[in-house]
Amino acid sequence: MLLSSKEFVNDVELQGNPALKRTLITNYDLRWEWFLNPGEILAVSGFYKEMENPIELAFAEGSVRSNPIVNYVNVPKATLLGAEFEARLGLRYISDFLSNFFFNGNLSLINSTVDIAGAELEQRINIDSTASNVRQLQGQSPFIINLGLNYINQSSGTTASLDYNLFGERLSKVSANITPDVFEQPAPRLNFNVSQRLFEYFTMRFSVKNILNTSHFESYKYNGKEYTYREYTNGISYSVGFSYEL
């Protein structure tokens, strides 16, 4: 008997899988780093990963659009080939006025490949006769961008950060039967955080999450047309906090 739970927010039934195997990863990395000053770095890295029995979120057998059922399953093998570019730099090089400002950013480029097994490939051909025998790894974006602008003033006890994140289209749920692959679409996010030391032991913190108020949007394609699978907006959130340290 398989246990399952209902995700009321997503209207999806998550089914258990007692036969799930752990993933084994063989990893190769090469990295070059240049430390310009304390806390500053320029770096370039490359990596290659071979994954045995990677775990993916997929539609379960018998799942239909009106009653979506998902579970975690193993696929035989996946490979990832990628590169990452990273920078953390102070902005005092531009002007002394910016001596308390720091920039950080990284760009990741990843190519993931999964060889589709016979049963899954047959299902895909039933949906699309031109379907390929390879696909990307579920949950893996082809690119990820993170950018940040930070302000640090030790004398006044003030810190602030503005952070931006963007990911490329990624496979959200793997196809099964007549249900096509579902892809999560890029959703840029912008967050702001600031903290201020008050007196000697108190600190006040304020943050704003999802300033751009971007939507979570998932879609699938059928017969050359794109359809909405799920879309919702989390809204903008604000928080204020105080802490006391001895």
Side-chain angles (χ1 to χ4, degrees):
M1 179 179 179
L2 295 177
L3 298 178
S4 63
S5 61
K6 186 72 171 181
E7 297 183 359
F8 292 98
V9 174
N10 299 326
D11 193 28
V12 170
E13 182 179 340
L14 178 60
Q15 193 176 78
N17 182 1
L20 205 61
K21 301 176 183 178
R22 65 171 179 157
T23 302
L24 299 178
I25 303 175
T26 301
N27 186 61
Y28 304 91
D29 287 283
L30 182 64
R31 183 174 174 87
W32 173 86
E33 299 176 330
W34 182 19
F35 296 93
L36 290 82
N37 289 292
E40 297 184 339
I41 186 175
L42 295 175
V44 178
S45 58
F47 60 87
Y48 175 76
K49 300 177 186 291
E50 292 183 350
M51 308 175 71
E52 181 181 346
N53 296 319
I55 298 171
E56 297 187 318
L57 184 64
F59 286 110
E61 294 295 330
S63 176
V64 294
R65 183 65 185 92
S66 59
N67 182 34
I69 305 172
V70 296
N71 63 356
Y72 289 99
V73 298
N74 293 109
V75 291
K77 180 182 177 182
T79 59
L80 275 71
L81 177 64
E84 183 175 10
F85 306 88
E86 179 183 358
R88 297 198 303 268
L89 298 170
L91 300 186
R92 64 183 180 277
Y93 304 107
I94 300 174
S95 169
D96 291 339
F97 175 77
L98 301 175
S99 59
N100 292 323
F101 288 87
F102 300 86
F103 165 82
N104 64 81
N106 65 64
L107 168 65
S108 298
L109 304 173
I110 307 104
N111 179 59
S112 62
T113 303
V114 172
D115 294 326
I116 302 175
E120 182 184 341
L121 181 59
E122 183 179 347
Q123 293 172 357
R124 289 174 176 274
I125 293 176
N126 290 335
I127 298 172
D128 179 4
S129 60
T130 63
S132 173
N133 61 351
V134 296
R135 60 168 170 81
Q136 66 188 83
L137 182 67
Q138 184 269 328
Q140 180 61 65
S141 296
F143 70 86
I144 304 171
I145 299 173
N146 292 293
L147 301 173
L149 181 63
N150 300 277
Y151 174 82
I152 302 174
N153 191 321
Q154 298 287 357
S155 60
S156 67
T158 306
T159 63
S161 66
L162 187 66
D163 302 302
Y164 175 85
N165 168 265
L166 177 66
F167 60 85
E169 180 186 70
R170 56 193 178 196
L171 180 58
S172 175
K173 298 172 183 67
V174 180
S175 169
N177 296 329
I178 62 171
T179 307
D181 286 334
V182 174
F183 288 87
E184 182 181 356
Q185 301 303 316
R189 293 184 63 89
L190 185 67
N191 301 322
F192 175 74
N193 298 276
V194 61
S195 68
Q196 176 62 56
R197 187 178 67 242
L198 303 174
F199 309 110
E200 187 174 358
Y201 301 109
F202 290 91
T203 301
M204 181 184 72
R205 294 180 174 84
F206 173 73
S207 66
V208 186
K209 305 294 185 182
N210 194 26
I211 296 173
L212 302 177
N213 196 22
T214 51
S215 298
H216 178 97
F217 179 60
E218 293 180 298
S219 64
Y220 61 92
K221 292 183 179 179
Y222 185 71
N223 287 337
K225 294 183 179 180
E226 185 175 19
Y227 298 88
T228 298
Y229 175 79
R230 180 175 58 175
E231 184 176 12
Y232 62 87
T233 302
N234 289 321
I236 305 173
S237 63
Y238 305 86
S239 64
V240 178
F242 294 88
S243 62
Y244 175 78
E245 297 180 2
L246 295 177

